[in-house]
């Protein structure tokens, strides 16, 4: 495991190296010295190196307890205070520098960068039992190996020695038993936290092995026993290191190929959208503006905000999570894509072209979201070949059988460039073409050997889906027509009632109308009659 961690960009092995050299310096100071100042100086060097581990990993502040316990338990009174003073003087330098930095950067000496993401909430006592059943067997199987079994046989304990080993092992072990990482699995990802315990367990194993060898009758038998133990441990270490380093070499080679392609295809200062794994490697270049691909998905945005604000570890900084929630947290897919389209256009106008890098299905999803609004240029696949094996030969098995090949192909993703904004939205035929292309790619991925039966089943699933959707559309159409008929009937009834009311109203007016009387006729004179 240490071989794999040694070639990985993380903090565990550098911290272990400083701790081992610090303990070597301290045990040198613990041995008889002619001059007190030399003992003090050696102890100060030990305190500086071990305290510096805290600047690499915050939880390694517990390691300063190991030399302190050794000084209190094993040194004579005349030398004890010199050792403790030297340790304190050396440790005060990195501890003081860190406290000053934290004070200015985070507001208090005891606050760290983890306070921005609430990482301390990840240490919960309820994880102890879940992790205990994983950490103990995994530590002896994959970390210290067969030799670690002898550490369990060490039987000549004295209370001073017992207390010293407990101070070294128990605090770090219990602290990470409470950590949230990998409660359902082990492996290097979880065991890397127990790296400071490796020297202690190996030293205990060697002390126990010495006691066992001393009890063997005869030097020849003792030598053969030591040789057998060394052979078993060496074989275990070589095989385990080769497997872990093989995977690491493959991953590093793939990252290197991807990085070289992106250097040649994407100019400096461009915007790159990709998943977090790719961005983690590209960030070391300091060449591009990097944005995570989860910004393209409403549900992933909401999950990231929830994980960051609900006291869970491995999230965003709280301030960034709040900004993300205020900016994108409440948007629908339509509003999100509209905002992203405006964002792409602004970046392009400011001289920063936009690129998407991801696997084929991720690139297809990106194309479906934006191909109707932008000209999308296909810059090709990130592909190539890598050695089939470097350290561990490929075995003949049902899943890994490449007996005649020295290289295997790699497909590390696609590059899509966001071009100019379309003046007119694409017709449906072009959208159908993109979807049909994605369908063919999915079919090839699900049935790479062109198995007719699998393809029939997949097409039948599509047919079932289409039939279900057709039935749903028919039912919805029937409900819509019934609703239209109901509304039309109600409208007719309302119209009939209105007309009937008007007729009744008109008939009532005629019934109450007054009769018209004729005016009296005046008699004409007799002359007019004639």
């Amino acid at each position: 495991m240490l071989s794999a961690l040694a070639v990985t960009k993380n903090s565990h092995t550098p911290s272990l190296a400083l701790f081992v050299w610090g303990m070597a310096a301290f045990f040198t100071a613990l041995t008889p010295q002619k001059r007190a100042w030399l003992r003090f100086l050696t102890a100060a060097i030990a305190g500086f190196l071990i305290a510096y581990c805290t600047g690499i990993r915050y939880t390694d502040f517990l390691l300063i307890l190991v030399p302190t316990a050794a000084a209190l338990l094993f040194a004579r009174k005349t030398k004890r205070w010199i050792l403790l003073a030297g340790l304190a003087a050396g440790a005060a330098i990195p501890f003081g520098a860190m406290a000053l930095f934290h004070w200015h950067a985070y507001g208090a000496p005891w606050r760290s960068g983890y306070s921005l993401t609430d990482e301390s909430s990840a240490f919960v006592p309820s994880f102890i039992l879940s992790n205990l059943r994983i950490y103990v067997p995994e530590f002896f199987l994959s970390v210290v190996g067969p030799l670690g079994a002898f550490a369990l046989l060490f039987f000549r304990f004295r209370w001073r020695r017992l207390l010293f080993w407990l101070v070294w092992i128990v605090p770090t072990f219990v602290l990470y038993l409470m950590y949230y990482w990998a409660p359902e699995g082990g492996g290097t990802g979880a065991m890397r936290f127990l790296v400071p315990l490796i020297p202690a367990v190996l030293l205990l194993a060697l002390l126990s092995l010495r006691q066992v060898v001393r009890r063997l009758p005869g030097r020849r038998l003792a030598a053969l026993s030591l040789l057998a133990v060394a052979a078993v441990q060496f074989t275990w270490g070589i095989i385990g290191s080769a497997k872990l380093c093989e995977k690491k070499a493959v991953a590093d080679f793939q990252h290197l190929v991807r990085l070289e392609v992106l250097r040649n295809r994407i100019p400096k200062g461009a915007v790159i959208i990709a998943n977090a794994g790719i961005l983690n490697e590209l960030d070391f270049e300091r060449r591009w503006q990097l944005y995570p691909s989860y910004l393209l998905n409403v549900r992933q945005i909401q999950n990231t905000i929830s994980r960051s604000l609900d006291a869970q570890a491995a999230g965003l900084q709280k301030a960034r999570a709040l900004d993300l929630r205020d900016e994108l947290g409440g948007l629908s897919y339509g509003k999100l894509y509209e905002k992203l389209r405006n964002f792409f256009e602004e970046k392009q106008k400011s001289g920063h072209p936009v690129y998407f890098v991801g696997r084929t299905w991720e690139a297809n999803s990106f194309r479906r979201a934006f191909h109707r609004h932008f000209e999308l240029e296909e810059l090709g696949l990130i592909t190539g070949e890598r050695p089939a094996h470097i350290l561990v030969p490929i075995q003949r098995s049902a899943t890994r059988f490449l007996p005649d090949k020295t290289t295997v192909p790699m497909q590390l993703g696609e590059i899509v460039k966001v071009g100019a904004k379309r003046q007119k939205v694409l017709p449906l035929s072009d959208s159908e073409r993109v979807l049909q292309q994605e369908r063919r790619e999915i079919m090839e991925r699900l049935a790479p050997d062109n198995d007719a039966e699998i393809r029939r089943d997949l097409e039948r699933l599509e047919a079932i889906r289409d039939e279900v959707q057709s039935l749903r559309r028919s039912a919805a159409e029937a409900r819509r027509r019934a609703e239209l008929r109901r509304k039309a009937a109600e409208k007719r009834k309302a119209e009939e009632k209105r007309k009937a009311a008007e007729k009744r109203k008109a008939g009532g007016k005629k019934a109450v109308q007054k009769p018209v009387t004729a005016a009296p006729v005046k008699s004409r004179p007799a002359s007019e009659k004639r």
Side-chain angles (χ1 to χ4, degrees), residues 55-69:
I56 302 175
R57 293 190 54 78
Y58 289 131
T59 54
D60 284 349
F61 77 93
L62 296 171
L63 299 181
I64 198 65
L65 300 177
V66 181
T68 303

Side-chain angles (χ1 to χ4, degrees), residues 35-61:
R35 300 177 181 178
W37 68 267
L38 186 59
R39 185 187 301 276
F40 177 88
L41 179 61
T42 310
I45 293 174
F48 177 84
L49 293 175
I50 296 174
Y52 197 90
C53 297
T54 310
I56 302 175
R57 293 190 54 78
Y58 289 131
T59 54
D60 284 349
F61 77 93

Side-chain angles (χ1 to χ4, degrees), residues 323-351:
D323 291 341
L324 180 63
R325 184 188 64 183
D326 297 339
E327 188 75 15
L328 304 177
L331 298 182
S332 63
Y333 273 99
K335 294 294 184 180
L336 175 65
Y337 287 157
E338 181 182 358
K339 194 174 188 66
L340 290 174
R341 290 195 296 267
N342 295 333
F343 171 75
F344 294 163
E345 194 173 7
E346 290 174 2
K347 286 295 183 180
Q348 290 171 341
K349 289 180 179 179
S350 61

Side-chain angles (χ1 to χ4, degrees), residues 266 271-275 293 296 354-359 362-364 366 414-418:
I266 301 180
V271 173
I272 295 181
I273 303 171
N275 63 53
S293 57
L296 305 175
V354 180
Y355 295 81
F356 180 86
V357 178
R359 290 168 290 183
E362 294 172 326
N364 285 336
F366 181 81
E414 297 185 29
I415 307 176
V416 179
K417 181 181 179 181
V418 179

Side-chain angles (χ1 to χ4, degrees), residues 424-442:
K424 187 177 181 180
V425 176
L426 280 177
L428 293 177
S429 59
D430 289 340
S431 299
E432 183 179 357
R433 176 182 56 81
V434 173
L435 293 175
Q436 289 293 346
Q437 179 183 358
E438 183 189 9
R439 179 185 179 277
R440 287 192 297 271
E441 292 172 352
I442 293 175

